[in-house]
Amino acid sequence: MVSSQVVDGKRYSIGVIGDLPALMAFWETFRDQANDAVLGEIGIVAAAFPGQGALPGLYQPVGSIRTYTNYQEMLEKHPEINLVIEATGRPSFVAELRATLPSHITLVEQTAANFFIKLLTQDKMWVACKLDLLHTQSMLKTIIDQMDEEILFLDLDGRVLDSNQKARDRADMPSRKIIGRDLHAIFTGMHAMGNEEHDCPFQQTLHTDERGEALASYVGEDGRVQYYRIYTYPIHDEAGNLCNVVAMRRNITRRMEMEQRLQQSEKLASIGELSTYIAHEIRNPLFTISGFANSLVRNKSVDDKVREKLNIILEESRRLDIILKSIINFTRPTEAEITMVDINELVTSTMEVMGLGLSQQHIELVRELEAGMAMVKANPEVIKQCLINLVKNAIEAMPEGGVLTIATGMNRDYATLTVEDTGVGIEPEVREKIFSPFFSTKGKGSGLGLAMTRKIMDEIGGEVDLTSSVGKGTRITLLLPPILAVAESPAPE
């Protein structure tokens, strides 16, 4: 008696019994649905049915399956058979097989055979579904990793469950380290725009079950401010309950700069219209007031107390006139002649005058002038005025003394003029307003110095770069267009 064992690498050696039509239907089902995993486990070695010859269309080579006219002969010739499939489905024949088959041979009836074949072939469907799922997962991961926004998948405690590549890169952490960390440890500065709990977008989403949003800022080690818009989105389970939160952070620094410049342009347009009105409607009465005040001051019949009050009127009139001139000059385009400017020479001559008295204020002046500087296309007096404004601001930022550094240099596109101090620095919430007209933190002056500097840089095709750290100091760099080594176009006749 042959026991159940693997024969020729097959776990099941099968003999099939049935008439030709039933066997052909079985072969078609087996051939179409069986996959490599199934065929690796079973092998059909013989068939018993009325007639002779090999069955056509089998998955094995023609002639490899022996056929017999009765199942007794098939079992006698093939003692390795340990499983018989009855393909006719006739009850009387099934009863006969049950009564005569040896105990080591398993009988599988037609309906059961079809069921198990289909069950085994679910592996093919599972593999297809798995491949499709892996493809979809890979495509989704690729898309999310290519996004410029940082994306975190969170639990309801704000712990990171997963992240995209941008979030890992900007946090400088591998996936295994970022998982499990608190949201605020990755998205720093989320409470920068307020201290209340509802200012945090994650808390907004937890409390409202809706999208949360907040604006945050971050000051880097180089003193530059980065602005971020942070969004949080609720994720629900099949029952509609909040189960997770997706947080996304987008860098909007460039957009903020464009918005600020647009706002400044709108302000300048409004100031331009206002300055015309001021010139005609305010300066004329102001001249009249100051004229009569001057006349009264010279009058010998006026006593000292009245003369003192008249002098205050004159002083305030002069101050108001200076402010009006600043406003009118600010709104006018720069009409100074553009020439070639030697920045190093301009810095040297300007600081020879402004440097006087710095030692009494406990300020050390450092000049770092790069040799071989390119000539700059600008008006020397205008650039000198910009330098004076920056130096004055730097000195005022160091009431207890410090180091004032004036440096020149070159980068890829511009010649640079840098004024750096070691003063109090600029608060992040003030930086976005620092170049706005009439904004001042000193409580005096017109607040047009830095606004005028940026306006001049824009007009000559340059830029202004600001970096600052609170308590460490501020660095402002003027990026000036150099003179290019190209022939000038002849003037049209």
Side-chain angles (χ1 to χ4, degrees):
M1 184 171 62
V2 180
S3 61
S4 177
Q5 58 181 331
V6 177
V7 179
D8 294 332
K10 309 292 184 180
R11 182 178 298 277
Y12 301 103
S13 296
I14 299 175
V16 184
I17 304 173
D19 53 34
L20 186 57
L23 284 173
M24 291 304 299
F26 173 78
W27 299 133
E28 291 292 332
T29 300
F30 186 78
R31 181 185 63 190
D32 293 341
Q33 297 191 32
N35 57 31
D36 292 340
V38 175
L39 298 178
E41 292 288 320
I42 65 177
I44 300 176
V45 297
F49 67 103
Q52 297 181 1
L55 295 175
L58 292 178
Y59 72 97
Q60 297 184 10
V62 176
S64 62
I65 295 180
R66 298 289 301 275
T67 58
Y68 300 90
T69 58
N70 60 77
Y71 69 88
Q72 292 87 352
E73 183 182 4
M74 178 186 71
L75 296 177
E76 182 182 350
K77 298 290 188 180
H78 298 278
E80 73 273 15
I81 290 176
N82 55 17
L83 189 147
V84 168
I85 296 177
E86 193 283 317
T88 67
R90 294 195 298 269
S92 58
F93 189 51
V94 171
E96 178 185 341
L97 289 174
R98 285 176 177 168
T100 58
L101 285 177
S103 59
H104 70 278
I105 296 179
T106 302
L107 173 62
V108 179
E109 300 176 23
Q110 181 191 39
T111 54
N114 289 335
F115 170 77
F116 283 114
I117 289 174
K118 290 179 181 179
L119 186 64
L120 288 171
T121 56
Q122 293 302 310
D123 175 66
K124 179 186 291 185
M125 183 181 299
W126 178 84
V127 170
C129 290
K130 181 180 178 181
L131 290 174
D132 185 61
L133 180 62
L134 289 174
H135 173 71
T136 303
Q137 183 182 22
S138 176
M139 182 174 63
L140 182 61
K141 183 178 183 301
T142 300
I143 293 173
I144 293 177
D145 282 344
Q146 291 297 318
M147 294 177 66
D148 194 50
E149 290 79 6
E150 302 165 70
I151 300 174
L152 300 178
F153 187 62
L154 311 169
D155 62 18
L156 298 185
D157 293 324
R159 300 289 178 180
V160 178
L161 300 176
D162 203 354
S163 64
N164 72 338
Q165 189 62 44
K166 292 294 182 182
R168 295 191 291 272
D169 289 345
R170 289 176 182 170
D172 194 21
M173 295 182 186
S175 179
R176 67 180 183 277
K177 287 190 176 181
I178 202 172
I179 291 175
R181 287 183 175 265
D182 185 80
L183 163 66
H184 298 89
I186 307 302
F187 285 0
T188 55
M190 288 186 66
H191 293 287
M193 306 310 293
N195 296 319
E196 299 297 329
E197 190 177 69
H198 64 263
D199 291 320
C200 173
F202 178 73
Q203 295 297 331
Q204 292 176 26
T205 297
L206 289 185
H207 293 159
T208 65
D209 202 14
E210 296 178 353
R211 190 187 81 161
E213 182 178 343
L215 178 66
S217 61
Y218 172 75
V219 181
E221 294 181 357
D222 60 355
R224 298 176 186 272
V225 179
Q226 298 281 340
Y227 290 98
Y228 293 93
R229 181 72 68 179
I230 299 173
Y231 307 90
T232 52
Y233 301 89
I235 304 298
H236 302 95
D237 58 21
E238 294 181 356
N241 299 316
L242 180 66
C243 59
N244 294 101
V245 175
V246 170
M248 181 176 72
R249 183 166 69 170
R250 176 179 297 156
N251 191 320
I252 60 168
T253 306
R254 178 64 64 181
R255 189 179 74 186
M256 287 286 288
E257 181 190 20
M258 293 175 64
E259 290 177 355
Q260 290 168 10
R261 292 211 173 193
L262 178 60
Q263 291 172 2
Q264 183 168 335
S265 297
E266 293 173 350
K267 283 184 180 180
L268 293 179
S270 300
I271 293 170
E273 296 175 2
L274 181 62
S275 65
T276 303
Y277 174 80
I278 290 174
H280 292 85
E281 302 298 331
I282 296 181
R283 294 191 78 185
N284 291 338
L286 182 63
F287 289 148
T288 302
I289 293 171
S290 60
F292 277 113
N294 265 317
S295 177
L296 290 172
V297 166
R298 290 192 297 270
N299 192 329
K300 296 181 180 179
S301 64
V302 176
D303 60 35
D304 292 340
K305 290 185 178 180
V306 174
R307 184 173 282 105
E308 182 181 350
K309 294 176 180 177
L310 289 172
N311 284 327
I312 293 174
I313 293 174
L314 286 172
E315 183 180 345
E316 291 301 311
S317 297
R318 283 192 291 269
R319 192 170 71 87
L320 182 57
D321 185 54
I322 291 172
I323 294 174
L324 291 175
K325 286 179 180 178
S326 298
I327 294 173
I328 294 170
N329 292 334
F330 181 76
T331 57
R332 290 172 179 168
T334 304
E335 298 178 354
E337 182 182 356
I338 302 297
T339 61
M340 296 174 61
V341 180
D342 186 330
I343 293 296
N344 285 349
E345 183 179 326
L346 184 145
V347 169
T348 301
S349 60
T350 303
M351 295 314 299
E352 281 180 359
V353 177
M354 293 201 70
L356 299 175
L358 288 181
S359 59
Q360 283 78 16
Q361 302 178 59
H362 306 288
I363 295 176
E364 178 187 355
L365 176 62
V366 176
R367 282 180 285 191
E368 299 176 353
L369 308 182
E370 183 173 315
M373 279 286 296
M375 301 293 284
V376 171
K377 183 172 65 174
N379 179 272
E381 292 303 318
V382 169
I383 301 302
K384 182 177 181 179
Q385 187 59 49
C386 291
L387 176 59
I388 291 172
N389 288 338
L390 297 181
V391 170
K392 284 183 177 179
N393 289 340
I395 293 173
E396 291 171 354
M398 298 184 289
E400 304 299 326
V403 178
L404 172 64
T405 303
I406 313 294
T408 61
M410 295 289 298
N411 63 19
R412 188 183 66 178
D413 300 314
Y414 296 100
T416 61
L417 171 57
T418 301
V419 177
E420 183 174 3
D421 63 66
T422 57
V424 295
I426 303 172
E427 296 288 343
E429 59 270 18
V430 174
R431 293 184 202 195
E432 59 187 70
K433 306 174 185 177
I434 203 72
F435 291 104
S436 298
F438 308 114
F439 178 81
S440 175
T441 60
K442 296 175 289 188
K444 60 181 180 179
S446 61
L448 291 174
L450 288 176
M452 178 64 80
T453 298
R454 170 168 277 182
K455 179 174 178 286
I456 291 170
M457 290 298 103
D458 288 341
E459 289 178 355
I460 67 173
E463 295 183 13
V464 183
D465 183 66
L466 167 70
T467 61
S468 183
S469 297
V470 176
K472 296 182 179 179
T474 301
R475 179 173 67 247
I476 297 180
T477 301
L478 304 183
L479 304 174
L480 302 159
I483 300 292
L484 301 181
V486 293
E488 295 185 0
S489 301
E493 297 180 358

